[in-house]
Amino acid sequence: MKLNIDGLLVYFPYEYIYPEQYSYMLELKRTLDAKGHGVLEMPSGTGKTICLLSLIVAYQKAYPLEVTKLVYCSRTVPEIEKVVEELRKLMDYYAKQTEAKNDFLALALSSRKNLCIHPEVSALRFGKEVDGKCHSLTASYIRAQHRSNPSQPVCQFYEEFDAVGRQVPIPPGIYNLNDLKDFGRRKGWCPYFLARYAILHANIVVYSYHYLLDPKIADLVSKELAKKSVVVFDEAHNIDNVCIDSMSVNITRRTLDRCQTNVETLQNTISRIKETDAAKLQEEYRRLVEGLKEANVARETDMYLSNPVLPDDILQEAVPGSIRTAEHFVGFMKRFLEYLKARLRIHHVVQESTPQFLKDIYEKVCIDRKPLRFCAERLRSLLRTLEIADITDFSAITLISHFATLVSTYSKGFTIIIEPFEDRTPTIANPVLHFSCMDPSIAIKPVFGRFQSVIITSGTLSPLDIYPRILDFRPVTVASFTMTLARTCLCPLIVGRGNDQVAMTSKFETREDFAVIRNYGNLLLEMSAIVPDGIVAFFTSYIYMENIVASWYEQGILENIQRNKLIFIETQDAAETSMALEKYQEACENGRGAILLSVARGKVSEGIDFVHHYGRAVIMFGVPYVYTQSRILKARLEYLRDQFQIRENDFLTFDAMRHAAQCVGRAIRGKTDYGLMIFADKRYARADKRGKLPRWIQEHLTDGSLNLTIDETVQLGKQFLRQMAQPFRQEDQLGLSLLTLEQLQSEDMLQKIAQIAQQA
Amino acid sequence: MASLSEEVLLVVKRVRQRKQDGTLYLMAERLAWGPEGKDRFTVSHLYADIRCQKISPDGKAKIQLQLVLHTGESTTFHFANESTALKDRDVAKELLQQLLPKFKKKANKELEEKNRMLQEDPVLFQLYKDLVVSQVISAEEFWANRLSLNSVEHSLSNNNKQEVGISAAFLADIRPQTDGCNGLRYNLTTDIIESIFRTYPTVKQKYAENVPHNMTEKEFWTRFFQSHYFHRDRINTGLQDIFSECAKEDEKGLKSMVTQGVKNPMVDLLSLEDKTLDEGYGTATVPTTSNSSNKSLRENSNSAIIKRFNHHSAMVLAAGLRKRHQILTSLFVAFQVKLQEAIEYDDLQGDSGRKTISLNLKKSDRYSHGPIPLQSQHYSTSQDIINSISIIQHEMRSYKPRLTQVMSSSAASSAITALSPGGVLMQGGGQQTINQLVPTDVQSELKHLYTAAGELLRHFWSCFPISTPFLEEKLTGHLEEMLQAAYNKFQAWQTRRMMRKT
């Protein structure tokens, strides 16, 4: 249908529309008009993606000078591919309606592992191997060597692309990962580099968060994206953790040992080159004097991880003299390494700020702040000069150099914690230096600063005001949309006690309590008897799940559950879990029914949907608080309190509730879907917890379902499931939660729609 | 019958059958028993005919061995030699145990199929009797035509018969009972054993290897329940445990399943992330390298339980789907389909093409014609009837006999006799059908002859067009003979009937 969104003609590739979708597009339009950032929460399964795509594409078509590009970031590879498919649907609709030829170029970008078509390289299993092998065939000096010595193997796909691929623009169209590969095969071009090149002039780019948020990659890939782009972060409820992860470094004794070997290799290579080709080193020296600003034409394929520091000012300066020659630099790295080794030789926990660390390093080994800042850049230059083919071997020294640069660049927002051993095993020495980022805004700041509109959206962003605070930006729109429903297809229940009236909770003091474990077991057993097909249960942590499963086994509860359903359990091994997941789906598919025991914050809870019969009930055992004893977390909480005035408890509860909401939200993927959401902990009933759940779940939480016993839960659940199993037709929805164009245009419907969005 | 050139594998003397002493012979292909003092066998069963053997429970006074045949009959042997009876029986049992499976595989699947068809279809059975038993047509020829005709239909119906799955809790169902003296008693049924074998092929293999050479069945299961294998929370350490190998095998199986990877990329957690953080980055605690050493025993056993549960569930699931059709769509297509499914909003689409299931009709004519509607008949309404009655009444009232035109009494009586049953005019009347005239036995005989002849004719016509020399030979050779035979048979029957009639 064709929609009029606040004066903008929007093609929407369906015949019907959900009221909240209309409302969502209105808010989105306002955000784009204001050229500002937005935070939008809308339940999953209400078609966020198509709204975003429809509106932004329409906007691009209407105002081609205002918005030149859409950068759509999602989290997982299947998500990325889904987005591109939806986009294809939209573009097909455009083509059908306007009968004009599509002039949009949209493509997905992924890592080499998903795009490589080189027969040998693409056969490798791990991303890192693919990257390394690719590099050893495409690095600039390898190709230079190939010119003089044709027996040196190179990648013919890259050569072909380099020869002609840049002159001929890729024809407009929608390119998913497989389309890119097909196109690459037809032309004989490398799809990965083609995609990386094409994103510069593409209208729509879909890729993963890391390409924007991880400064090491962002600098390589996304540096030249236009300012007039709209950036969308979908499924952004965890965006702060992605930011923090990309800026944090851990150094173990093993890292240092490997770094030591790297330094020795470097030293040997340098002395060897000095004998044979001293001019090369001279040339590098000259370049470094001139500064780092020199244009790097060959940088595209030289994937020495780029500088993790974002400020450009550093690139204006020349590398300080003390590390300019290769030998001096290696000597410098040696000294730094020895210092780190000495720091790891401790018997008690040390926590210090970055200035303290810099002061200490100056006093102990006379290393200044300035050369440290240039470490990463200097190492990169050296590796290139020495023509090291396989840089994966040098990951340890690269890590150390990044650490050096980061620690000397940021005086705030980071903390250094050195732990001599793990808390659980105090007898085994395993010293780790955590250089931990506490401020997610550091990594995302350049994104907000550079692009005119950044949209942060997800099904669970409640409470909405916290994201602008922890990411430190000022949004123009903050809104939460509820799901209009013709029938209440979600049924959140809070189970607070067992049939024996013993309180159910995963609180630390009582979680090992026999009665609690038994009651949890009974809940699962009872549910397994009444819920058809699939049940997914989430625990607060992996260790807790292991313990509970063991005691359920001893008590014979699992045996009884097996009478009703098959049991699959997430393990710490991803491959094993994938298999369990597939079998779980198979068991749901063939009608046997199954239970999947999983962990909140685990991979399953983050990336897998349990649509329809794959998840008719989700049980959340306990409140998924993060492990609060960790020093890194404590430091972060302290930082949040000092910098953003966010109280520790508020943040912890917020974090726990967003994960809980993520877990239970996995079961509902649309209005025709239905599922029970069982929160098995009495603490959920408290206002401070409940209030932090997304609005679309809170709405359906009645006062009567706040502190149920297992029996009551079973009764309510039975009734709900029986009701939901009745046929649900389109006519039932029409006019309420599903609108035709005429219905949408009616006056009172528009009034109703205005109420859907709740401004925070 | 008793050709003594056969290889005799075992001779057991003093075995009673039907209260008669005799000797039991186990030969290469059959089992036989002859009464004492006679040199011929009164009992002889091919191994292929034997469905199973049963033995009397230990501790019973009579030591017996029962053979159950495929036909359902059974023969019981009583081992009567007091001193060695038990041993004799066990020797015989174990030899049979080894022999029977060999022949079981041989036992023709087709034979069972034919048997089933004959049992299900009495008409076919009669036809078989008429044509094959009376040697009008050879059995092969009879079936050659039949099986091909029915195979499609039957294979369909066979496949539709679902294999019964396995309860996931079958191990839990073996409730141990205390026997009162610090022991446990497990009750095993054949169902449970079958479940165990199907779920854990390694146990089956062990069973085949060890029973009966190394240990008895009972011992095997005792060991099974004692093993660490059964109690899945233990980490198996005992090397003398025969099941430790099973556990290893299982581990291997699990590993191979894991390395095979998953077919559905949407659930592949390994390739979910586009770009994983390099080693050393991130805030997540680094997993320690030497994981087994600093994990406590308890943790190890916990994760063992979890592994075992996953494995168990996977095996139970696989056992239920053993004969699943491998639909070999390419990975790529499967992924595309999944992707399309994932972005589909069926309620937003207008006329979402409802996925329909096509009707699978075995006899489409029956469907399209349906039950034949009744022929339209002329019904008289009740008003008509009332009217006519009143007219008749009216006429009767005004009835006056015209005596001058009355028939003579003799003519009238002869007319009555002619019209009463058995009279001249009543013979061959359309009302009396043939089935009232002809006695049922004659009818059924005629029917059999008719179907037999029909079957032969079907054979005859199925030979056209004559495309192979075999068909030609069949046509000119024995089919002609057969038709002749059938004709003769019919003639014979006819004359017999005539004879009887006269």
Side-chain angles (χ1 to χ4, degrees), chain B residues 204-487:
Chain B
K204 188 176 187 175
Q205 199 189 331
K206 280 279 158 210
Y207 181 86
E209 278 170 21
N210 289 309
V211 180
H213 325 293
N214 297 338
M215 57 183 83
T216 62
E217 203 175 340
K218 192 177 163 189
E219 206 179 333
F220 178 84
W221 292 115
T222 314
R223 286 225 202 163
F224 178 75
F225 288 119
Q226 284 169 346
S227 74
H228 298 295
Y229 187 65
F230 176 63
H231 300 281
R232 33 190 147 173
D233 52 334
R234 314 285 191 276
I235 298 142
N236 52 73
T237 41
L239 283 170
Q240 73 282 12
D241 187 351
I242 55 164
F243 294 103
S244 63
E245 216 173 292
C246 289
K248 271 182 210 139
E249 282 292 315
D250 283 354
E251 193 104 319
K252 248 196 239 161
L254 193 67
K255 274 224 181 84
S256 74
M257 267 197 269
V258 168
T259 46
Q260 248 173 31
V262 291
K263 285 183 232 64
N264 179 1
M266 302 295 255
V267 297
D268 191 357
L269 296 170
L270 285 174
S271 61
L272 217 55
E273 294 274 330
D274 184 26
K275 193 108 188 168
T276 48
L277 286 168
D278 287 326
E279 198 185 336
Y281 296 94
T283 47
T285 42
V286 197
T288 42
T289 40
S290 51
N291 42 13
S292 56
S293 59
N294 51 17
K295 254 194 184 174
S296 68
L297 194 69
R298 166 138 187 100
E299 278 172 336
N300 262 336
S301 100
N302 285 356
S303 58
I305 293 179
I306 287 179
K307 260 200 182 141
R308 297 299 308 279
F309 263 103
N310 278 341
H311 183 247
H312 177 78
S313 298
M315 292 308 280
V316 167
L317 193 62
L321 303 169
R322 190 134 298 171
K323 277 200 230 147
R324 145 182 82 155
H325 304 282
Q326 287 283 333
I327 305 160
L328 287 169
T329 45
S330 73
L331 262 181
F332 175 69
V333 174
F335 179 55
Q336 287 297 316
V337 170
K338 291 263 177 211
L339 211 59
Q340 288 303 327
E341 263 172 30
I343 63 162
E344 196 93 324
Y345 286 94
D346 44 0
D347 49 347
L348 283 181
Q349 240 115 25
D351 46 340
S352 49
R354 280 260 151 135
K355 277 168 209 138
T356 50
I357 295 165
S358 61
L359 198 57
N360 180 15
L361 289 176
K362 278 185 187 163
K363 289 178 181 159
S364 56
D365 53 333
R366 195 190 272 180
Y367 177 77
S368 45
H369 295 302
I372 297 151
L374 285 169
Q375 294 293 320
S376 59
Q377 278 177 337
H378 185 73
Y379 287 104
S380 8
T381 62
S382 42
Q383 192 56 49
D384 287 343
I385 295 167
I386 292 166
N387 286 349
S388 44
I389 287 174
S390 69
I391 289 167
I392 290 171
Q393 274 173 345
H394 179 75
E395 280 189 5
M396 287 305 282
R397 240 175 270 139
S398 57
Y399 171 70
K400 277 186 198 122
R402 274 170 277 175
L403 291 168
T404 49
Q405 283 165 353
V406 164
M407 209 189 266
S408 72
S409 62
S410 63
S413 69
S414 76
I416 285 169
T417 36
L419 281 171
S420 49
V424 183
L425 286 175
M426 293 307 278
Q427 244 163 24
Q431 262 69 22
Q432 210 162 15
T433 49
I434 190 105
N435 59 10
Q436 280 164 308
L437 278 176
V438 185
T440 42
D441 57 330
V442 180
Q443 268 182 52
S444 67
E445 272 173 46
L446 191 65
K447 223 185 261 174
H448 293 155
L449 281 172
Y450 173 74
T451 45
E455 176 70 14
L456 280 178
L457 280 174
R458 207 171 59 74
H459 275 271
F460 175 79
W461 287 115
S462 71
C463 290
F464 292 100
I466 305 158
S467 49
T468 59
F470 170 73
L471 282 179
E472 193 181 342
E473 197 252 345
K474 184 178 173 182
L475 204 60
T476 53
H478 51 280
L479 251 182
E480 226 175 312
E481 269 169 43
M482 281 172 208
L483 284 171
Q484 194 59 49
Y487 187 69

Side-chain angles (χ1 to χ4, degrees), chain A residues 211-228:
Chain A
Y211 291 102
L212 268 188
L213 292 183
D214 191 338
K216 300 182 283 291
I217 314 170
D219 187 41
L220 274 181
V221 178
S222 312
K223 202 175 178 187
E224 288 160 54
L225 294 186
K227 189 188 173 326
K228 286 185 174 174

Side-chain angles (χ1 to χ4, degrees), chain A residues 14-16 18 45 47 76-78 81-82 85-86 89 110-111 114 128 131 178 208 210-211 216 244-245 248-250 254 305 399 402 422 424 428 430 546-547 550 553 558-559 562-563 566-569 574-579 582-583 585-586 590 592 608 730 733 738, chain B residues 166-169 172-173 175 232-233 257-258 262-264 266-275 277-284 286 288 294 298-299 302-303 305-307 309-310 312-314 316-317 321 324 332 335 339-340 342-351:
Chain A
Y14 293 101
E15 282 171 52
Y16 300 91
Y18 298 143
T76 63
V77 179
E81 298 198 84
K82 271 199 271 189
E85 288 311 313
E86 293 209 41
K89 197 172 208 168
S110 180
S111 55
N114 295 322
K128 222 183 256 176
D131 289 352
N178 278 319
S208 101
H210 301 283
Y211 291 102
K216 300 182 283 291
I244 283 178
D245 275 347
S248 300
V249 175
N250 299 303
R254 193 162 148 265
L305 283 181
L399 182 77
H402 283 170
E422 277 181 65
R424 285 190 303 138
I428 302 159
N430 179 29
E546 264 191 349
N547 286 336
Y553 172 69
L558 285 183
E559 288 181 356
Q562 276 186 319
R563 279 176 220 283
L566 291 174
I567 300 176
F568 294 98
I569 307 170
E576 229 172 284
T577 310
S578 306
M579 191 207 73
E582 192 179 49
K583 299 276 175 207
Q585 293 201 340
E586 208 172 290
N590 74 5
R592 249 203 120 103
I608 307 294
Q730 200 171 42
Q733 281 204 67
L738 189 70
Chain B
I166 295 170
S167 157
D173 285 333
R175 287 251 162 263
R232 33 190 147 173
D233 52 334
M257 267 197 269
V258 168
V262 291
K263 285 183 232 64
N264 179 1
M266 302 295 255
V267 297
D268 191 357
L269 296 170
L270 285 174
S271 61
L272 217 55
E273 294 274 330
D274 184 26
K275 193 108 188 168
L277 286 168
D278 287 326
E279 198 185 336
Y281 296 94
T283 47
V286 197
T288 42
N294 51 17
R298 166 138 187 100
E299 278 172 336
N302 285 356
S303 58
I305 293 179
I306 287 179
K307 260 200 182 141
F309 263 103
N310 278 341
H312 177 78
S313 298
V316 167
L317 193 62
L321 303 169
R324 145 182 82 155
F332 175 69
F335 179 55
L339 211 59
Q340 288 303 327
I343 63 162
E344 196 93 324
Y345 286 94
D346 44 0
D347 49 347
L348 283 181
Q349 240 115 25
D351 46 340

